[in-house]
Amino acid sequence: MAINIRPLTKEDFLGVQKFADDYIGKNYFSLEDLERLLQLSTKNGQVSSLLAFDDQKLIGMRLSFMPGQWKKEDTLDLDESKWPHPIEDMAYFKSLFISAEYQGIGLGIRMSKRALEIFKAQGAKGVVTHSWMQSPNNSSYKYLKKLGFEVIREIPNAWSHIDYECVVCSPLRCHCSAKEMCLDLEKK
């Protein structure tokens, strides 16, 4: 198995949209959302949102925003008063999803570590994210803890404002909870 990890491009949008429909829920990303995501992921010619492929098959995505490129309005509810650095010095991990048959081999950690290297090269001092508490086997929280993220707070019904068919809650509106988590890159 030769897995290739590379940056997101515009040519990937339809594949990413289908992948998200399958693993997050139908209609989670529009093409306009992905265009904005790519803008927030790009700084000084580098892209922090990464895709993993096994041959030509998309098997994983680590979507993230560069420091200084995003605002609180681009994410879920955040409490920046508890962050170690101001928002302009913070990167944001948006989504990490790995195909079921590729889970448990360290691909998510590998993709996230690569994104962390890119963030550091672009001057990030920290990273903030939302851990999906209903992820299979609580994998979202577990991998973030392995990377050194610390819990800031819990957010009930974190994605209820997004009009999509959640893979856990459908046909009801999403009622999944999140934990806002932070990593201080200056301590690593």
Side-chain angles (χ1 to χ4, degrees):
M1 170 179 14
I3 295 175
N4 178 36
I5 298 173
R6 65 165 177 77
L8 171 70
T9 67
K10 286 183 181 188
E11 291 73 27
D12 298 313
F13 286 0
L14 289 176
V16 169
Q17 192 176 42
K18 174 159 180 11
F19 188 85
D21 282 354
D22 292 344
Y23 288 95
I24 303 173
K26 290 206 183 306
N27 304 315
Y28 191 78
F29 287 125
S30 68
L31 293 177
E32 294 80 22
D33 292 336
L34 293 172
E35 181 70 42
R36 177 79 176 135
L37 189 144
L38 183 57
Q39 289 173 359
L40 298 175
S41 299
T42 305
K43 184 175 182 181
N44 299 322
Q46 280 195 296
V47 177
S48 61
S49 286
L50 304 170
L51 304 178
F53 292 87
D54 186 355
D55 194 22
Q56 299 299 315
K57 180 183 176 188
L58 178 60
I59 60 169
M61 62 182 190
R62 155 82 284 156
L63 305 178
S64 53
F65 302 158
M66 289 284 207
Q69 300 298 97
W70 62 282
K71 297 176 176 45
K72 281 176 55 172
E73 298 80 38
D74 295 312
T75 68
L76 294 175
D77 181 38
L78 292 168
D79 183 1
E80 62 185 298
S81 70
K82 298 183 178 163
W83 300 353
H85 307 285
I87 191 169
E88 59 270 8
D89 294 329
M90 299 290 286
Y92 180 73
F93 271 171
K94 179 164 178 60
S95 300
L96 172 69
F97 287 93
I98 307 295
S99 296
E101 62 267 29
Y102 293 87
Q103 292 175 6
I105 62 169
L107 182 57
I109 291 277
R110 199 166 119 207
M111 294 178 77
S112 295
K113 284 183 176 180
R114 175 126 8 127
L116 291 173
E117 290 171 11
I118 294 167
F119 291 155
K120 288 178 189 176
Q122 294 300 324
K125 294 180 180 176
V127 183
V128 67
T129 191
H130 293 93
S131 174
W132 178 34
M133 298 312 294
Q134 284 70 32
S135 65
N137 301 312
N138 204 16
S139 58
S140 174
Y141 178 77
K142 289 176 183 175
Y143 104 89
L144 289 165
K145 288 298 282 182
K146 278 185 192 176
L147 288 172
F149 280 79
E150 297 178 10
V151 174
I152 293 176
R153 67 188 175 118
E154 186 150 350
I155 306 166
N157 301 309
W159 291 275
S160 63
H161 67 286
I162 301 172
D163 187 18
Y164 78 108
E165 295 176 28
C166 173
V167 294
V168 173
C169 306
S170 187
L172 303 175
R173 192 154 193 95
C174 181
H175 59 269
C176 293
S177 63
K179 285 193 177 173
E180 182 177 345
M181 300 179 77
C182 189
L183 175 66
D184 189 343
L185 293 173
E186 293 195 325
K187 288 184 178 178
K188 282 197 82 111

